[in-house]
Amino acid sequence: MIDKIAHRGPDAVQVAKLEGAPVIMAHSRLSIIGPDDGAQPIAQGSDMLIANGEIYNHADLRAILGEGAFKTASDSETILHLFRSGALRWIDRLDGMFAFVLATGDRIIAARDPLGIKPIYMARMGEGLAFASELKAFDGLGLTAIEAIPPGTLYDNRDGWRRWYRIPHGAAKAEPDVDGTARELRLVLEEAVAKWMVADVEVGSFLSGGLDSSIIAALAQKVLERSGKGPLKTFAVGTDGSPDLVAAKRVAEHIGSKHHEYVFTAGDVVENLPHIIYHLESADVDLVRSAIPTFFAARLARQHVKAVLTGEGADELFAGYTYHHAYVDDPRALADELTRSLGTMHNINLQRVDRITMAESLEGRTPFLDRKLIDFAQSIPAALKLCRTRPDAVASTGPTTEKWILRKACADLLPESLVWRKKAQFDEGSGTVAALQEALQTLTGERGEIGRAREGALYEEILRGCFVDPDLILANAGQWEADRVAA
């Protein structure tokens, strides 16, 4: 099992048995915090832990729990000591992205972060249980009843399932203090980016030239400047002359980052598509399309850094998708839809980011999904997220602007033309759609446009060729959901 997910952590692989209990744990490590002594599994007494992700408030937790209890510099060890503290809601004190399995002599606990940024699956193994970060770890083992542990949920073999986090519901009506809201949002954003840059290794940033990644990169550059470090390393990919490459270069020049770019071709797509689908663990057309530029960006970034910031989550928090425009005159429905879509991210965009970055042994970090930022963003009225160009304009006039309050909060960070640049899907702005059509024609030997049905069938065919038990993978694969709230 651990060999199949060794790409997630090439720095160290360790397998251990919990003394006196039928528990074996294995961990492949990508060392980000405490690189010298943070090997896992972490064992203390009759307890053992393996964890994936980052605990960003680990320094504060160490101070509270007592530094003397810790044996390593690893942020993951705080999970073990919080559990051992006996606090009723100990898991709620963890601030970060994580998935973990913790074992005692007679107990197994497995849990996942609030939004499901980090993955974890559970399967039946005879009368026992098996856990893994990716579905491929179970392939060919004949395991049954495989399921993803839901975001914000904890499984305890003694006490059963417990949902420990719920996404706060979005607000709808506008409030008078628009300027104050924008200023506070900016402060919360700055705090989130600084927190999610905590590491003992260099952290870079994806930069597509779109609003979300540009804001994150601009704020990250400021964090490094304040600490006397930098410049920030930024990474952009696209086909030759694609809008994303042009825009990303302009942003990089504006913020002063050390910029890297990679121009990919249809031939590159043909060569790497099986690798992408195998690691993505899905044949969903939209997921595969967006995974292609993510893969090239991850491969580029891993040549320079071990962790990158990404802009995922901004569209779900601030109404950034084209389909959101249908809600402009119904802020209550928009708030409901944003709340719903946040709850589905683990199966789509977050699965793509995790699988594709980790396939290249790169850690992807998503500051927009910081818990405090989620709480604040959900308290901002939906009428300020998607509105006519002026928030006080009457409903029947003016163009619709998505992520309006986010743009206002960060208007001084970037050139005006970029702050108000219309959103393009990652696979469109990067030129992936055109390159993919050419690649699909090469792979199928067919001429003319390859339709979605044929495209999806090809992806499934490729996926089936990658696994011993492809039905297991397909049954649990992430895919886009269409159960949107009616506007």
Side-chain angles (χ1 to χ4, degrees), residues 276-289:
I276 292 169
I277 290 174
Y278 171 72
H279 283 286
L280 182 63
E281 299 187 329
S282 176
D284 182 85
V285 170
D286 293 306
L287 270 183
V288 174
R289 286 183 178 184

Side-chain angles (χ1 to χ4, degrees), residues 24-97:
I24 296 176
M25 290 187 175
H27 188 268
S28 56
R29 184 171 189 237
L30 182 65
S31 54
I32 304 291
I33 293 177
D36 297 329
D37 65 354
Q40 298 189 39
I42 298 172
Q44 286 210 1
S46 60
D47 303 334
M48 185 179 285
L49 169 81
I50 48 175
N52 174 214
E54 302 292 339
I55 309 300
Y56 296 118
N57 64 334
H58 73 100
D60 292 340
L61 291 173
R62 281 174 175 269
I64 294 169
L65 293 165
E67 188 68 43
F70 287 79
K71 293 184 177 180
T72 75
S74 169
D75 56 302
S76 297
E77 192 178 347
T78 56
I79 300 170
L80 187 61
H81 294 296
L82 271 175
F83 166 73
R84 291 162 69 98
S85 73
L88 291 177
R89 300 195 71 241
W90 59 273
I91 190 172
D92 188 58
R93 300 185 185 184
L94 297 172
D95 186 3
M97 56 179 193

